[in-house]
Amino acid sequence: MKVLKPLRKQIINYIIAENEEAESSNILADYMHAIEGGFNPNMKFTLYLPAANKLVMYEYNKKETMQWCSRSEFYTECEKIKKSLVEIAENIIVLCQDNYVRVLFRNPNEKPRLPQDYQEHWRAYEMFMKGELEPLLYVCSIRVVPKLKLYKFWEKLHL
């Protein structure tokens, strides 16, 4: 693995903690849960795949629809979240390519469903460019399981 960036270290820590079912206070948890999908009021945002080549990011808002922030504020916030999600996805892809993790494809029939009242609390964002969409679609369609190689690398990081 090339020079280890702080983000990649956090991703590795998260993957290992999740695999060990350990409590993790990883700052990436919100982003990783969004990649895993689903709709939970404890989530700040999530990614949803309505079709194989389509992606929608939903941001959760407890306020009533009329009290939501302006559209421009919403897009600005989503752009920041999207940038981080893409960077995380690209790092996960590097771990896959370098054979540090095993890739298990999710069953497309088991994808999370939109909650009945999603329009009351979840605001949709769909502005993804092809270069952003491809890595996100890939990581949203897989589960990663750390290989022994990743554990050995992780141990070296913590010595």
Side-chain angles (χ1 to χ4, degrees):
M1 196 175 295
K2 301 172 186 131
V3 176
L4 191 67
K5 297 177 183 175
L7 177 62
R8 189 157 309 149
K9 184 177 179 181
Q10 292 169 343
I11 292 168
I12 291 169
N13 287 338
Y14 181 87
I15 290 170
I16 289 178
E18 281 293 303
N19 191 62
E20 297 298 320
E21 297 178 358
E23 287 293 318
S24 175
S25 61
N26 194 306
I27 61 172
L28 296 181
D30 289 337
Y31 296 92
M32 299 300 279
H33 291 303
I35 289 169
E36 294 162 6
F39 291 88
N40 179 332
N42 295 327
M43 297 173 79
K44 297 175 184 171
F45 49 88
T46 191
L47 295 174
Y48 177 70
L49 287 80
N53 61 349
K54 176 109 170 106
L55 183 69
V56 179
M57 179 170 57
Y58 284 97
E59 185 179 55
Y60 185 77
N61 194 328
K62 293 179 183 177
K63 298 176 185 174
E64 291 183 24
T65 309
M66 299 301 289
Q67 296 176 342
W68 287 359
C69 65
S70 71
R71 185 175 296 269
S72 64
E73 289 174 307
F74 172 70
Y75 283 135
T76 300
E77 180 64 25
C78 288
E79 285 293 319
K80 291 177 193 173
I81 294 169
K82 177 177 67 173
K83 182 178 184 233
S84 297
L85 286 168
V86 170
E87 192 173 355
I88 291 166
E90 290 171 344
N91 275 278
I92 291 172
I93 290 170
V94 169
L95 291 174
C96 296
Q97 291 170 338
D98 291 347
N99 208 25
Y100 280 90
V101 295
R102 187 166 53 116
V103 174
L104 303 173
F105 286 92
R106 297 177 192 268
N107 182 343
N109 297 328
E110 295 177 7
K111 70 179 181 182
R113 295 179 187 230
L114 288 169
Q116 282 187 325
D117 63 347
Y118 78 94
Q119 291 178 328
E120 294 176 27
H121 298 288
W122 294 92
R123 195 169 181 183
Y125 173 87
E126 300 181 52
M127 299 178 64
F128 293 93
M129 303 297 284
K130 184 179 179 186
E132 299 164 336
L133 192 59
E134 289 175 349
L136 288 171
L137 285 172
Y138 179 73
V139 297
C140 287
S141 67
I142 64 170
R143 283 189 324 112
V144 294
V145 178
K147 290 185 172 183
L148 182 58
K149 180 179 177 180
L150 186 66
Y151 276 96
K152 288 181 179 180
F153 184 75
W154 180 78
E155 284 177 344
K156 289 178 187 176
L157 291 174
H158 292 78
L159 291 178

